[in-house]
Amino acid sequence: MSGTQGQAPVPGAGDGTRVVRAGLPEPVKYEPTLPGPVFAAHYHLPGEPTGAYTYGRDENPTWTHLERAIGGLEAPGESDVETLVFASGMAAISSVLFSQLRSGDAVVLPSDGYQALPLVRGQLEAYGIKVRTAPTGGDAQLRVLDGARLLWIETPSNPGLDVCDVRRLVEEAHARGALVAVDNTLATPLGQRPLELGADFSVASGTKQLTGHGDVLLGYVTGRDPEAMAAVRRWRKIVGAIPGPMEAWLAHRSLATLQLRVERQNATALAVAEALQDWPEDLAVRYPGLPKDPSHAVAAGQMRRFGCVVSFTLPTRTRAERFLEELRLVDDATSFGGVRSTAERRGRWGGDDVPEGFIRMSVGAEDTEDLVADVLRALEASAQ
């Protein structure tokens, strides 16, 4: 890990203990436990530039604390793991793709992944990189893997919540000479640890549940191979896709409550999914934590928690829009993972292959009974 020395990890620590201690520097008398943001474009640098901090586009002490914190959650107890933070999740995604691929290479992307991936595909192809796609479910990406330089996995997929077998895909990809990156945004490090499953990179948007308050844009990449991570770092330096120190500090401050938020949000997400599944209409409910979900068996074998996002489909666009209007405790907004519940009709963006009545709901930290009651009331009212 980069930067200054931090506190040693707590042996055998649980997730709650780990997140509240993550990335903190060694205690200094009269100093805060989490130092404030360092606003610096440059640093005192006499002589040869051999120190940890030379220029603001390369390193920042506030990033260092956050990077160490995230690395300690993605790969607890592993000292050979490096994390780099970025200005957004898309900056992190782009850094891996464009630092690892060259003209003539082939990459496999999920056809049902994040909405911005088609935009990325266009840019990759403009650089002479061959792009193949396949859906997440059923490990379908294996069918187009031969000869690829990089396999990009998004599991659970956004917004459809399909799951693939990461261990199986990693084993097959490595056997064929391909690197593997896993988008871990929806699961968070408390739900899934891609590096432990064999992946080369764990990539995520910290904008979502990791920070959890809907007020910070952030991304990160965690990896174990020094050469591969050096290329990612070089891409960050060239592009300048760096987070501000205030955003990094806010993210680190928010990280301390991650376990508390995840436990409440995931438990309530399951309750919402169960209530939707019991509704008289067939809503095609998807949530990996439901025992009847098509992805549950695979998810249970690699995930420790199943996330805060539930998806379901209402019969028509009009019905979906009425449902959203009737909600009182849920904001009609995009993104997910925040402490305040949100929901949206994903078809309004035009980039996801979903029915017009498809709803992606992000479950927040409201009381479970209140949120379930609000969802059921809105369903009933929208049907009239």
Side-chain angles (χ1 to χ4, degrees), residues 148-238:
R149 164 66 179 161
L150 175 68
L151 169 63
W152 190 274
I153 296 172
E154 186 179 300
T155 181
S157 62
N158 172 28
L161 302 182
D162 271 324
V163 171
C164 58
D165 186 333
V166 176
R167 292 185 187 89
R168 181 188 180 200
L169 286 167
V170 166
E171 183 178 349
E172 291 284 349
H174 286 171
R176 303 180 202 189
L179 298 169
V180 180
V182 177
D183 186 328
N184 204 36
T185 302
L186 202 145
T188 82
L190 298 195
Q192 182 172 262
R193 295 175 185 153
L195 298 188
E196 289 185 0
L197 299 173
D200 300 287
F201 302 99
S202 181
V203 188
S205 168
T207 308
K208 312 298 194 297
Q209 195 172 20
L210 189 83
T211 54
H213 291 80
D215 54 9
V216 172
L217 289 175
L218 192 86
Y220 71 85
V221 178
T222 300
R224 190 177 285 113
D225 181 77
E227 185 176 346
M229 288 304 293
V232 174
R233 179 184 291 275
R234 186 165 55 250
W235 180 261
R236 183 178 71 172
K237 177 184 177 73
I238 293 168

Side-chain angles (χ1 to χ4, degrees), residues 307-381:
C308 65
V309 177
V310 178
S311 72
F312 55 100
T313 303
L314 294 169
T316 65
R317 170 178 176 167
T318 301
R319 173 76 183 283
E321 290 173 344
R322 283 205 305 266
F323 167 76
L324 294 169
E325 290 171 0
E326 290 290 340
L327 291 166
R328 298 293 176 264
L329 298 179
V330 183
D331 296 329
D332 190 341
T334 194
S335 197
F336 59 85
V339 291
R340 288 173 288 279
S341 293
T342 61
E344 68 171 339
R345 191 182 66 82
R346 283 298 292 178
R348 65 181 177 173
W349 298 102
D352 295 310
D353 185 17
V354 295
E356 284 292 303
F358 182 94
I359 301 290
R360 183 185 72 183
M361 181 175 179
S362 171
V363 174
E366 297 88 356
D367 285 318
T368 301
E369 296 80 2
D370 292 341
L371 192 61
V372 170
D374 190 45
V375 169
L376 296 182
R377 182 197 53 75
L379 274 176
E380 184 173 2

Side-chain angles (χ1 to χ4, degrees), residues 36-310:
V38 175
F39 298 99
H42 57 265
Y43 307 87
H44 287 296
L45 198 64
E48 294 298 318
T50 57
Y53 304 104
T54 57
Y55 186 63
R57 192 179 66 250
D58 299 329
E59 289 288 357
N60 180 290
T62 311
W63 304 351
T64 299
H65 298 316
L66 177 60
E67 288 169 344
R68 186 180 297 113
I70 294 172
L73 300 181
E74 285 280 355
E78 296 191 36
S79 60
D80 60 342
V81 166
E82 181 178 5
T83 296
L84 298 170
V85 291
F86 290 80
S88 68
M90 280 308 303
I93 288 170
S94 300
S95 76
V96 173
L97 291 170
F98 292 105
S99 70
Q100 304 302 312
L101 296 169
R102 303 289 182 271
S103 179
D105 286 344
V107 60
V108 177
L109 301 179
S111 59
D112 54 347
Y114 180 52
Q115 186 191 43
L117 287 181
L119 298 176
V120 175
R121 175 177 185 165
Q123 194 60 57
L124 289 167
E125 290 176 335
Y127 289 159
I129 297 164
K130 303 178 185 72
V131 179
R132 307 171 191 159
T133 62
T136 300
D139 300 341
Q141 289 172 297
L142 286 176
R143 296 197 294 266
V144 293
L145 187 55
D146 282 347
R149 164 66 179 161
L150 175 68
L151 169 63
W152 190 274
I153 296 172
E154 186 179 300
T155 181
S157 62
N158 172 28
L161 302 182
D162 271 324
V163 171
C164 58
D165 186 333
V166 176
R167 292 185 187 89
R168 181 188 180 200
L169 286 167
V170 166
E171 183 178 349
E172 291 284 349
H174 286 171
R176 303 180 202 189
L179 298 169
V180 180
V182 177
D183 186 328
N184 204 36
T185 302
L186 202 145
T188 82
L190 298 195
Q192 182 172 262
R193 295 175 185 153
L195 298 188
E196 289 185 0
L197 299 173
D200 300 287
F201 302 99
S202 181
V203 188
S205 168
T207 308
K208 312 298 194 297
Q209 195 172 20
L210 189 83
T211 54
H213 291 80
D215 54 9
V216 172
L217 289 175
L218 192 86
Y220 71 85
V221 178
T222 300
R224 190 177 285 113
D225 181 77
E227 185 176 346
M229 288 304 293
V232 174
R233 179 184 291 275
R234 186 165 55 250
W235 180 261
R236 183 178 71 172
K237 177 184 177 73
I238 293 168
V239 177
I242 58 174
M246 190 66 192
E247 285 77 10
W249 183 84
L250 285 169
H252 198 168
R253 182 203 62 172
S254 300
L255 202 63
T257 62
L258 178 61
Q259 190 264 352
L260 297 173
R261 291 184 281 108
V262 161
E263 290 294 342
R264 165 60 74 86
Q265 290 173 261
N266 288 15
T268 303
L270 178 60
V272 168
E274 288 172 338
L276 290 168
Q277 196 173 59
D278 292 339
W279 187 253
E281 300 172 272
D282 181 4
L283 302 180
V285 182
R286 294 302 306 272
Y287 182 68
L290 284 172
K292 294 181 181 179
D293 189 273
S295 292
H296 179 71
V298 175
Q302 65 192 24
M303 298 182 73
R304 298 161 60 235
R305 298 175 176 89
F306 299 106
C308 65
V309 177
V310 178

